[in-house]
Amino acid sequence: MKQRLFTPGPTTVPEEVLLEMARPIIHHRSKAFAELFGKVLEDLKYLFQTENPVLTLTSSGTGAMETAVVNLLARKDTALVIRGGKFGERWGELCEAYGIRCVPVDVEWGDAVDPEEVGRALKEHPEVKVVFATYSETSTGVLHDVKALAEVAKKAGVLLVVDAISSLGAHPLPMDEWGVDVVLTGSQKGLMLPPGMAFISLSEKAWEAVKRSDLPKYYWDLRKARSSLAKGQTPYTPAVSLIVGLARSLRTIREIGLEALWRRHARHAEATRRAVQALGLELFARAPSNVLTIVRAPEGVDGKALLKAAQAYGVTFAGGQEGLSGKVVRITHLGYVDDFDAISAVAALERALRDVGWKVPMGKGIAAAQEVLARE
Ligand SMILES: *Cc1c(COP(=O)(O)O)cnc(C)c1O
């Protein structure tokens, strides 16, 4: 059966990227690798919209999050963490693991943080050195206002670190222009690659903080990664095949263009939201991101049964995390998705709903999605 992946990581990998990665391995200290890597580093700057170097790490996205914590903070430092979902909470857990004091700003799941509340918390806690935020919170489908958060952080003279693991390539995040100090992402989301790599870029101000950081680290020491960059290398063996695939996916992203890519995600998200509403279902997020649409399972319907019903057609959606387990279906628009993929997702949702006994008019969601998609 044909398999279709609509999960917010991993996402579908385009055929041209898969084929690149199937080629024989090259050595990571060779001239051929240095040339390829040099091109990749330039294209990563385009994706991150920055003049600062973008460092590549061999880990999933969480590795880049941990890297940010251990490189920016010193023992006994205090950080502010915005917690409005599973991934915001992860910032707090990471800080605690290294003995960093946390000032939490808690946000109800489904809501976006009020940047003014962050501003107030920073006034009350002048000891805060770094704010850890999430751009698109993948557990709630919410997009936080990073531009406003950057202004608040700048005013308070603290660093802003943004988890853009699911959002880079899906939503605009002009790092330099907005003054975001650290942006990080992973390979298996908007970059259309398999899991296994992460990327991070730091502003000059953030590099200053790296100098005074004394938290324990070895593999995650970003100073080593930066000095290797000059030689077109990484300090340790990189995920060579993934970098070869990355060169291809970044070329695709350049060919499409960032703006067209953001528009694509916006259209598919809007089409899906309209479809869901036409089916009489409710959206979970009150400030929805274009990365994914989170649909509440209708009253009396088990969200897990709905996932299983879709799976019977080869369609994989993601379920809810933590408190949302069994209550929602998460449908992603991330990465290599075209109009007809987006329509397939809605079609599978309609069928799954009917299969679990929810009376739903077949095609009503599809029609609503088509109205949006056929407009342009
Ligand atoms: C997927 C995701 C992560 C976790 O990344 P891993 O690659 O699983 O380590 C963190 N934050 C957000 C917002 C994500 O979407």
Side-chain angles (χ1 to χ4, degrees), residues 8 60-62 65 87 90 134 136 138 163 165-166 188-189:
S60 77
T62 307
M65 294 172 76
F87 297 107
R90 186 165 296 177
T134 316
S136 177
T138 319
D163 167 356
I165 295 177
S166 62
Q188 80 279 24
K189 309 228 173 173

Side-chain angles (χ1 to χ4, degrees), residues 8-10 59-65 86-88 90-91 133-139 163-167 184-189 195-198 291-292 321 330 334:
S59 73
S60 77
T62 307
M65 294 172 76
K86 186 180 158 70
F87 297 107
R90 186 165 296 177
W91 279 128
T134 316
Y135 193 13
S136 177
E137 173 54 75
T138 319
S139 62
D163 167 356
I165 295 177
S166 62
S167 45
L184 53 96
T185 194
S187 56
Q188 80 279 24
K189 309 228 173 173
M197 278 191 84
V291 168
L292 76 168
Q321 291 162 297
R330 297 185 298 151
L334 203 47

